[in-house]
Amino acid sequence: MNILVIGANGKAGHRIVEKALKAGHQVTGVVRREGAIEGIRTIVKDALQLTKEELTQFDVVVNATSAFTPDTYHLPADLTLLLVKALANTNTRLIAIGGAGSLYVDEDHTVQLNDTPEFPKEFLARSKTHGKSDDILRKFSNVDWTMFTPPPILDAEGPESNDYVLGNENVILNKEGKPYISYATFAQILVDEINNHKFGRQRFTAVQN
């Protein structure tokens, strides 16, 4: 498939690029500066300036961007809205990476992780703003979207594992009772979803044992 990875040089993005290439896909990356990632074709521009024509030439668009400073917290939701509007009523799939704080901690799906007293206050504004992306996706039934939300512990240095458990809307735990996954495992599961298309218009999550 022909895949576009927005944020291709980020912690998740570059691993997704590697896994997608290994799976035999054609990959293009969206980056902010020339030379930010090597070995693939790139589109060098602000993601919020991407056009419908640029996006719809791909089979799958992966939104692997993130925001870490208060002045950029609005970007995930803004970019999600741009993407769903551009991809509405087209054959291009959208796979977005969600924020762990928006996963639910109760079976009735009324309390999110970022609603709990234990959630770190310094991450609350970022998490709440990022969570708006999920709400936007659900309003667009004419877009073939999937949201893959990592668990709270996302480890950049951890090993890749084929021993993992998939979930849906709730925080889930591994065999050790931890909501953990490595970036490497996360990227492989995301590329598996590109290949297998099991979670159309759904959110899912995963933890590794």
Side-chain angles (χ1 to χ4, degrees), residues 3-204:
I3 298 167
L4 181 70
V5 179
I6 306 172
N9 59 323
K11 283 185 179 179
H14 84 267
R15 290 173 172 87
I16 293 165
V17 168
E18 291 171 4
K19 297 293 185 185
L21 289 172
K22 190 175 179 182
H25 299 299
Q26 199 174 345
V27 183
T28 299
V30 176
V31 292
R32 285 180 169 271
R33 65 185 189 282
E34 198 76 51
I37 189 169
E38 298 179 351
I40 59 171
R41 176 177 170 262
T42 56
I43 298 173
V44 182
K45 68 189 307 184
D46 184 330
L48 289 173
Q49 302 302 317
L50 288 165
T51 65
K52 182 183 180 78
E53 290 70 32
E54 287 173 314
L55 293 163
T56 54
Q57 64 182 295
F58 296 95
D59 299 309
V60 181
V61 172
V62 178
N63 181 7
T65 58
S66 53
F68 297 105
T69 58
D71 61 320
T72 61
Y73 287 167
H74 64 98
L75 293 178
D78 289 354
L79 181 54
T80 299
L81 187 58
L82 180 148
L83 294 173
V84 290
K85 286 182 175 180
L87 301 181
N89 299 309
T90 72
N91 293 321
T92 301
R93 290 166 57 199
L94 172 62
I95 298 182
I97 295 175
S102 66
L103 289 169
Y104 290 100
V105 295
D106 65 328
E107 292 305 317
D108 295 329
H109 296 168
T110 58
V111 181
Q112 294 180 326
L113 183 62
N114 57 26
D115 293 323
T116 62
E118 298 80 19
F119 193 83
K121 287 183 171 52
E122 62 269 28
F123 299 132
L124 184 59
R126 175 185 165 201
S127 180
K128 286 289 188 181
T129 310
H130 196 165
K132 292 178 181 177
S133 300
D134 189 34
D135 297 332
I136 292 167
L137 289 175
R138 293 177 193 274
K139 292 175 182 174
F140 281 77
S141 60
N142 55 355
V143 177
D144 189 357
W145 61 268
T146 298
M147 177 168 276
F148 184 20
T149 303
I153 304 174
L154 185 55
D155 183 4
E157 306 301 326
E160 184 178 346
S161 174
N162 290 321
D163 184 9
Y164 57 81
V165 179
L166 299 180
N168 294 103
E169 297 283 347
N170 287 66
V171 176
I172 58 173
L173 306 176
N174 64 14
K175 290 177 182 175
E176 296 178 355
K178 295 179 180 179
Y180 170 90
I181 199 168
S182 71
Y183 270 96
T185 303
F186 182 85
Q188 184 57 60
I189 294 171
L190 189 146
V191 173
D192 288 344
E193 173 59 19
I194 290 175
N195 295 336
N196 301 324
H197 199 179
K198 289 184 177 179
F199 293 96
R201 297 190 183 89
Q202 296 178 63
R203 173 161 70 154
F204 77 105

